[in-house]
Amino acid sequence: MKKTLQYALTAAILLLMPIITLSQIAPDLGVASTFVLFTSSGAVTNVGISQITGNVGSNSGPVTGFGNVNGQMHSGDAVTDAARFDLNIAYNSLGGQAATEFPGIALGGGQVLTPAVFGVPTISVLSGILTLDGLGDPDACFIFQMNGAFSADPGASIELVNGTQACNVFWKVEGAVTLASDVVFKGNLIVNGAISLTTDDDLEGRALSMVGAVEVTTVSASTPIGCGSPILMGPLAPPLGATECFVLFTSVGAMTNTGITHVVGDIGTNNGPLAGFDPLLVNGTIHTPPDAATNQAASDIINLYTALNTLSCDIELMHPAQFGNGQILTPHVYCMDSATHLTGTIFLDAQGSPDAVFVIQINGALTTSTYSNVVLLGGAQSSNVYWKVEGAADISGYSIFRGTLVANNGAISMAYGDTLVGRALSTNGAITIHDGNISLPDVLGIPIITPDGPLTFCEGESVMLTASPANTYLWSTGETTQSITVTSSGNYSVTTSDACVGGGTSAVITVTVYPLPIVIITPDGPTNLCQGESVTLTSSPGESYLWSTGAITQSILVSLSGNYSVTMTDINGCSATSPITAVTVYPLPIVTINADGPLAFCD
């Protein structure tokens, strides 16, 4: 009896306890999160040209073979000590969570998984496509506990859908990890063994080893965005002063053009000849040297150069001769300590922050290959890119260069067919252009008007017209705001301008406002009726009708007293309501006959 009571009491307590739902928990990687490639013990090596974004390091072992890394290089220092400590905590956290799903040892092949802790008991292989579906939750967490070595076949890939983020995917592997060529891998590899990434692999995540070498060969690897990672904005933009409206300017030196060059922006030298530019092809001012503008620009370019030169370097690119080659840079201050050659393409990725600033400090001359290209990604703006060059800048033919280029005591040369979206400014040196397209950054084009609703509507309604962003606005109505509210028919346009050049007059946009219909009720006879009589009320012609009685026909038959009205909608979709028509129905009189004597009598 006593035991029975104990069991009953225990059961009651369990029923009263709150329900606890166990789910996978993403570990805090701490300092280890700043590394894209790291080992606590072992070598970290690269073969070929790899594109790496994030820190690279070993707490105990050499770090060799890397070219320009978009991150810091660390070896056996305080940072790697902290990373080793934090990685160990994360590793134990991942291992301490109970597996809830068991997908098998052959991953991929069209498999779709949802958030869980996945237990894989032995050696496993990824092949084909593995889809991780976050079910619409950006915090969805996937943890894979691989109790053996892990490999990926050539061309295997991991796809993230419905909110899944690479930063929330964790692969805890007991054994070596080997990714064959052309693998697209997502997530954080936390491995108790060696890691090998091979030709053309693409890693969005991290490759972190507890103990073992990390080797990459011609790969692309970057730390993932999200999960509390910092939003990169770069340094504050330096002051342009009077150089802002100059697309080509030198304080001292000749300014010459050969061939047909289209220019948007001002051109000038404060001390030297200026020749070869066709005024018909220059949307800006060709300053006759010197004038007040060039005098001020000559002073302000020194301030601009000083501001760029004194910025602290965030990331040193160790191999200036290998600059470019498809590398991706993020908003930082980059520095290179010798002459630099841009080969192929350099990507500048603002990661969704259009105000982010990039500064590239080159402590030597700058040259480029033919067809070199500066490509902007993630909302990056040419107006927020700055190049400080100590010496000459020589942009080879058919190149596309973006940003404000400041050459200190050096000439600037742009070859045949070059495109510049930015500025070419020299503190002291000639500038030569040859059959190019030269434009200030982010110059306004012809403005576009965007309505917030239909351009055809009924009297009493309105539409807001908004011009594309500019410095000034002048509407055909005389208004000077970016947006206007329109309530009447007409043709509308806007003229805009920016601080320097650009803008213009938009195409005409036509607004049509229909008048409201006039609605009258017409009775087919008197509206004062006797009981038993009726009157037909008819609305003005339209497309549809709604009477106060609920009827939806043009005419209604009325035999009761009341106030009647109708809302009519015309062919343009405009509606109006008629004045009230009153109908009065009088009751019939009650007639009685009174006799003054008997109704039966004798002759």
Side-chain angles (χ1 to χ4, degrees):
M1 181 65 179
K2 183 176 181 182
K3 287 185 178 181
T4 301
L5 289 173
Q6 288 177 338
Y7 293 151
L9 180 60
T10 301
I13 293 172
L14 289 173
L15 287 172
L16 293 172
M17 288 177 65
I19 297 174
I20 301 174
T21 301
L22 299 176
S23 63
Q24 58 279 12
I25 300 172
D28 182 1
L29 294 175
V31 176
S33 68
T34 66
F35 285 87
V36 63
L37 305 174
F38 175 79
T39 180
S40 295
S41 179
V44 180
T45 59
N46 173 72
V47 177
I49 297 177
S50 292
Q51 307 301 343
I52 307 296
T53 296
N55 293 347
V56 176
S58 171
N59 190 53
S60 178
V63 179
T64 58
F66 289 89
N68 292 317
V69 172
N70 184 17
Q72 303 287 346
M73 308 295 288
H74 294 277
S75 181
D77 58 15
V79 176
T80 61
D81 280 342
R84 176 183 59 81
F85 181 82
D86 291 340
L87 181 61
N88 188 64
I89 294 175
Y91 173 82
N92 290 330
S93 172
L94 291 170
Q97 301 188 46
T100 56
E101 298 289 338
F102 302 90
I105 61 174
L107 298 176
Q111 194 173 27
V112 179
L113 301 177
T114 53
V117 178
F118 301 94
V120 181
T122 184
I123 296 172
S124 55
V125 179
L126 171 68
S127 61
I129 298 174
L130 172 64
T131 300
L132 304 182
D133 185 347
L135 303 177
D137 181 5
D139 296 323
C141 182
F142 295 77
I143 295 175
F144 292 86
Q145 297 173 340
M146 325 291 286
N147 294 312
F150 178 46
S151 63
D153 289 341
S157 66
I158 297 172
E159 295 185 357
L160 308 181
V161 299
N162 292 332
T164 305
Q165 300 185 83
C167 57
N168 279 325
V169 179
F170 298 87
W171 304 81
K172 173 187 171 290
V173 183
E174 294 293 338
V177 169
T178 303
L179 305 186
S181 61
D182 297 300
V183 172
V184 177
F185 199 86
K186 310 284 187 180
N188 303 284
L189 283 164
I190 299 178
V191 181
N192 191 20
I195 302 174
S196 175
L197 281 64
T198 49
T199 307
D200 295 328
D201 285 346
D202 187 342
L203 167 66
E204 181 188 358
R206 302 173 179 89
L208 312 175
S209 174
M210 299 290 294
V211 55
V214 176
E215 180 177 334
V216 298
T217 302
T218 318
V219 304
S220 175
S222 62
T223 51
I225 299 172
C227 305
S229 62
I231 298 174
L232 300 177
M233 295 301 297
L236 293 176
L240 290 168
T243 68
E244 180 179 9
C245 292
F246 281 95
V247 67
L248 300 171
F249 175 79
T250 179
S251 293
V252 180
M255 176 76 65
T256 59
N257 173 68
T258 302
I260 298 174
T261 294
H262 296 266
V263 179
V264 178
D266 291 356
I267 302 171
T269 172
N270 196 49
N271 185 0
L274 192 156
F277 292 92
D278 183 347
L280 296 178
L281 301 179
V282 176
N283 180 10
T285 302
I286 302 175
H287 291 268
T288 302
D291 63 11
T294 62
N295 276 328
Q296 188 61 53
S299 173
D300 289 347
I301 194 176
I302 299 301
N303 296 331
L304 174 59
Y305 164 76
T306 301
L308 293 171
N309 191 51
T310 54
L311 286 172
S312 297
C313 178
D314 294 333
I315 296 174
E316 182 178 358
L317 302 177
M318 306 294 293
H319 299 273
Q322 296 180 14
F323 186 60
N325 292 296
Q327 186 173 19
I328 299 175
L329 302 182
T330 46
H332 286 288
V333 178
Y334 295 91
C335 56
M336 287 173 279
D337 277 340
S338 62
T340 297
H341 185 74
L342 170 59
T343 301
T345 301
I346 189 77
F347 295 95
L348 305 181
D349 185 0
Q351 297 182 340
S353 300
D355 295 326
V357 174
F358 300 77
V359 174
I360 297 98
Q361 300 171 336
I362 300 173
N363 294 320
L366 170 65
T367 58
T368 78
S369 64
T370 304
Y371 296 102
S372 66
N373 196 357
V374 179
V375 176
L376 306 182
L377 303 174
Q381 305 292 319
S382 296
S383 56
N384 290 327
V385 178
Y386 298 87
W387 305 77
K388 186 227 70 167
V389 178
E390 292 292 341
D394 184 3
I395 312 301
S396 291
Y398 304 101
S399 294
I400 300 175
F401 198 87
R402 290 179 170 85
T404 295
L405 171 61
V406 180
N408 184 40
N409 293 319
I412 300 175
S413 173
M414 302 199 72
Y416 184 89
D418 282 348
T419 295
L420 169 65
V421 183
R423 302 175 182 87
L425 312 173
S426 175
T427 63
N428 185 354
I431 297 179
T432 58
I433 308 295
H434 186 6
D435 286 283
N437 288 283
I438 315 296
S439 175
L440 283 171
D442 308 324
V443 171
L444 297 178
I446 300 301
I448 297 173
I449 298 175
T450 303
D452 70 346
L455 296 175
T456 301
F457 50 87
C458 301
E459 183 182 351
E461 300 174 356
S462 65
V463 64
M464 179 178 289
L465 305 180
T466 301
S468 46
N471 281 63
T472 64
Y473 310 88
L474 179 60
W475 290 86
S476 51
T477 61
E479 294 167 276
T480 58
T481 53
Q482 185 178 359
S483 299
I484 62 171
T485 299
V486 172
T487 58
S488 58
S489 296
N491 296 323
Y492 298 86
S493 63
V494 64
T495 300
T496 64
S497 66
D498 68 9
C500 299
V501 295
T505 301
S506 70
V508 171
I509 191 167
T510 300
V511 174
T512 302
V513 181
Y514 295 116
L516 297 180
I518 297 173
V519 186
I520 298 173
I521 295 176
T522 302
D524 68 347
T527 55
N528 293 325
L529 309 173
C530 293
Q531 185 177 352
E533 299 177 340
S534 63
V535 62
T536 297
L537 304 181
T538 301
S539 168
S540 305
E543 289 295 299
S544 64
Y545 314 89
L546 179 61
W547 290 86
S548 53
T549 63
I552 56 173
T553 53
Q554 184 178 0
S555 300
I556 60 174
L557 185 66
V558 173
S559 58
L560 298 175
S561 294
N563 294 323
Y564 296 87
S565 64
V566 62
T567 298
M568 185 267 284
T569 301
D570 65 13
I571 193 171
N572 297 316
C574 299
S575 300
T577 301
S578 69
I580 290 173
T581 295
V583 174
T584 303
V585 178
Y586 297 107
L588 295 178
I590 298 173
V591 180
T592 58
I593 299 175
N594 294 319
D596 59 355
L599 295 178
F601 52 88
C602 297
D603 289 339

